[in-house]
Amino acid sequence: MRLVSTLLRGSGVLLALTTLAARPALAQAAETTAPAGPAAPGSQQLLLWFLLGTLALVILLIGVLTATLLVRLRPQLRRLYELPTVRSTWSGRVLGLAVGDTTLVRGEVRDELLDHDYDGILEFDNDLPPWWKYGFYATILFAIGYLSYYHVAQAGQLQGAEYAAEMQQAALLGAANADDPNQLTTYQALTTAADLSSGQSLFTTNCAPCHGQHGEGKVGPNLTDEYWLHGGEVNHVYKTIKFGVQGKGMVAWKGKLSGKQLLQVSSYVLSLQGSKPAGAKEPQGEKESPTRL
């Protein structure tokens, strides 16, 4: 017991020294941050790491002291473990781990042969290792908790919903600038006569050779019906004109037309909806509700 008390007094001294060493740094941090209001994020992070380091040191010291006590007291613990009233109990089996008996983990090996064999193969009547059984019980509890949380209470997202949410978040994070083809703009279609007139002029000069003078479609698709290959909302049309369609003959007009000119052309294209020009090309793509300007 003298050894135990000595070790405990030593641990108390170490804890006291650690506290005294941390107190000046904490006081200095408090004096530094008090006049200026909230501490800067850098100083807060430094203080957090200091406290975590101190806690880790204390835990390490406690672990070393505990291991030292177990080594010093192992003969007394073994004599206690050998008592019949102690060894058969759960706490006794835990105590057995401290003195080197791993029965609590590996179980009891009886090596009793069963009364049957197959092709000369004999079977021993041994229990499953406790670590295996406890792990199996843990999987059952986990399965019940998982079923209750995700399927009964529906408090968490299933794999499909979680994947969709992560892909949506990735798309938002990936759309870093206006020149990113994955970023969809949020423009409204222009409706003034001046903008639509400018859009018509740009369309006649740049788009009519492929889409026809009135958008009826030639090499390119018909732009006056309700069918669209790449979306008929103004921002989808804007994206198609700006970045083009690789491998389909639709060139990218980014760098050739300004952002306003691209929006003017997109707005003019939508103004052609339902105009039904002569010689219109057959519909292509998916049907969408017509956009009226």
Side-chain angles (χ1 to χ4, degrees):
M1 296 305 294
R2 183 178 301 174
L3 174 62
V4 175
S5 61
T6 302
L7 291 174
L8 291 177
R9 283 199 301 270
S11 63
V13 172
L14 289 174
L15 290 175
L17 290 176
T18 304
T19 305
L20 290 175
R23 185 176 299 172
L26 295 175
Q28 184 178 0
E31 292 175 358
T32 303
T33 56
S43 61
Q44 290 181 350
Q45 186 176 10
L46 182 61
L47 180 60
L48 175 62
W49 281 112
F50 175 78
L51 294 176
L52 290 177
T54 304
L55 179 61
L57 179 60
V58 172
I59 294 175
L60 178 61
L61 291 174
I62 293 175
V64 171
L65 292 173
T66 303
T68 304
L69 284 173
L70 290 177
V71 172
R72 296 284 187 176
L73 299 177
R74 192 167 185 176
Q76 292 85 349
L77 294 176
R78 176 164 288 279
R79 285 196 295 270
L80 178 63
Y81 176 67
E82 294 297 335
L83 296 176
T85 56
V86 174
R87 189 166 187 171
S88 60
T89 62
W90 175 262
S91 59
R93 294 179 181 178
V94 174
L95 180 61
L97 293 176
V99 298
D101 188 353
T102 59
T103 303
L104 179 64
V105 177
R106 63 178 174 81
E108 295 182 0
V109 180
R110 295 192 298 269
D111 288 342
E112 296 179 1
L113 289 175
L114 297 178
D115 57 354
H116 65 83
D117 64 84
Y118 179 79
D119 196 18
I121 299 175
L122 303 177
E123 182 180 355
F124 287 97
D125 185 17
N126 291 323
D127 293 333
L128 289 171
W131 63 266
W132 191 96
K133 291 190 291 187
Y134 300 148
F136 179 67
Y137 299 152
T139 60
I140 295 176
L141 294 177
F142 176 83
I144 295 174
Y146 183 93
L147 180 67
S148 302
Y149 183 80
Y150 286 99
H151 293 276
V152 178
Q154 296 183 349
Q157 291 182 331
L158 295 178
Q159 292 180 348
E162 187 176 2
Y163 173 78
E166 290 181 356
M167 291 299 295
Q168 184 178 7
Q169 184 179 11
L172 293 175
L173 294 176
N177 52 62
D179 290 330
D180 188 346
N182 295 320
Q183 181 182 18
L184 194 63
T185 55
T186 57
Y187 297 135
Q188 296 292 328
L190 302 175
T191 57
T192 64
D195 288 322
L196 292 179
S197 178
S198 298
Q200 182 180 9
S201 299
L202 293 168
F203 181 90
T204 302
T205 304
N206 302 296
C207 308
C210 290
H211 293 283
Q213 191 70 22
H214 304 288
E216 67 274 14
K218 291 184 177 180
V219 178
N222 179 8
L223 301 177
T224 65
D225 55 28
E226 302 175 2
Y227 292 82
W228 296 89
L229 292 171
H230 308 290
E233 195 268 336
V234 63
N235 292 286
H236 289 92
V237 177
Y238 181 94
K239 175 183 175 182
T240 303
I241 297 174
K242 182 176 181 178
F243 298 104
V245 181
Q246 188 175 9
K248 297 296 183 179
M250 176 64 188
V251 300
W253 292 95
K254 180 184 69 172
K256 303 173 185 178
L257 300 177
S258 66
K260 183 174 182 180
Q261 289 175 324
L262 291 172
L263 186 58
Q264 288 173 337
V265 177
S266 304
S267 301
Y268 174 72
V269 168
L270 293 181
S271 71
L272 298 176
Q273 290 289 285
S275 58
K276 299 180 180 179
K281 194 175 181 180
E282 291 296 324
Q284 295 174 270
E286 300 293 331
K287 184 176 181 180
E288 295 186 16
S289 299
T291 302
R292 302 293 184 183
L293 299 182

